[in-house]
Amino acid sequence: MARKRKELNISGSNLWYLVGLITSDGNLSKDGRHIDITAKEKNFLQRIKESLILVNKVCKKNKGTPKQAYRIQIANKEFYEFLLSIGLTQNKSLTIGELKVPKEYFIDFLRGVIDGDGCIRKWRHPSNQGEQWSLRIYSGSEGFIRWLKDASEILLRIRGKIYKQSDSQWVLKYGKIAAKKIAEQCYYKNCLGLERKIKLAQECRSSYICWKQSKTVLNN
């Protein structure tokens, strides 16, 4: 008897968070079926597995090397084809551009991207000791990082700046007020995400920032 195909019952905010995570930390295999998600934290992938009711195991990757990490592999042709239909590609880090993300789930998609290839950072200003925050998103695709900047400006009403860090890496950077707005909108209560970045986002949300106006946050 043929083995019954397992369906992925993932929708709404969880689906688009997963899409964002795959966009940043995932890989589409050449076989047209398998999707890998890699992370340093085993507990994070375990939480993804349990929250999305995935049957797949969390396994070690690059075992016994300095690059050791963990991965979960999803084998589902329909889901793979769905990812292709919204703009993801094989070797996506260098080739992706605009993605078809519904407006109502953009914040979940963005949270997935930040959890994968983002950095939320706090430090003290060296002269006035004021608390500073920034949020950076890294990508090997100029087309994707420019689309993400434009989409965030339209949907979240924030402005960021793009920098070319190297020949193969682009950075989208947001200052402290824009970072706080991203934290408020994307890292809402009980959202699915990387615990370490959820805590940083919560701290950023509750931080005192004396500037009330900024060119990085647009009026509605």
Side-chain angles (χ1 to χ4, degrees), residues 40-173:
K40 292 181 180 179
E41 294 92 340
K42 182 180 180 180
N43 289 342
F44 169 56
L45 291 184
Q46 192 64 37
R47 186 184 176 203
I48 295 292
K49 170 184 166 70
E50 293 170 0
S51 297
L52 304 183
I53 316 177
L54 300 174
V55 299
N56 317 73
K57 294 181 179 180
V58 176
C59 304
K60 287 184 179 179
K61 186 175 182 179
N62 301 318
K63 184 179 179 180
T65 73
K67 294 184 178 180
Q68 179 173 301
Y70 297 89
R71 76 169 187 176
I72 188 167
Q73 186 178 76
I74 301 171
N76 188 284
K77 185 176 180 180
E78 286 78 10
F79 184 54
Y80 189 106
E81 291 175 349
F82 163 73
L83 295 174
L84 294 180
S85 74
I86 64 171
L88 286 179
T89 60
Q90 297 173 10
N91 194 28
K92 62 176 178 51
S93 61
L94 301 175
T95 59
I96 59 170
E98 178 178 350
L99 299 182
K100 299 174 184 176
V101 179
K103 294 179 181 179
E104 62 268 34
Y105 296 117
F106 182 78
I107 57 172
D108 301 292
F109 169 80
L110 182 58
R111 187 174 69 258
V113 171
I114 295 168
D115 279 359
D117 279 338
C119 174
I120 304 172
R121 178 173 173 252
K122 179 182 75 170
W123 74 98
R124 292 285 176 181
H125 194 282
S127 59
N128 61 25
Q129 293 301 303
E131 188 174 282
Q132 307 292 312
W133 287 88
S134 68
L135 190 152
R136 291 179 173 88
I137 300 170
Y138 300 84
S139 177
S141 170
E142 180 183 4
F144 172 72
I145 211 75
R146 293 196 179 280
W147 167 75
L148 191 66
K149 175 183 179 295
D150 292 343
S152 298
E153 185 169 328
I154 293 170
L155 299 174
L156 304 186
R157 307 299 291 163
I158 54 172
R159 284 194 180 122
K161 290 185 178 181
I162 294 176
Y163 300 90
K164 188 175 184 181
Q165 184 162 293
S166 67
D167 289 341
S168 60
Q169 191 168 69
W170 297 81
V171 183
L172 173 57
K173 180 182 177 182

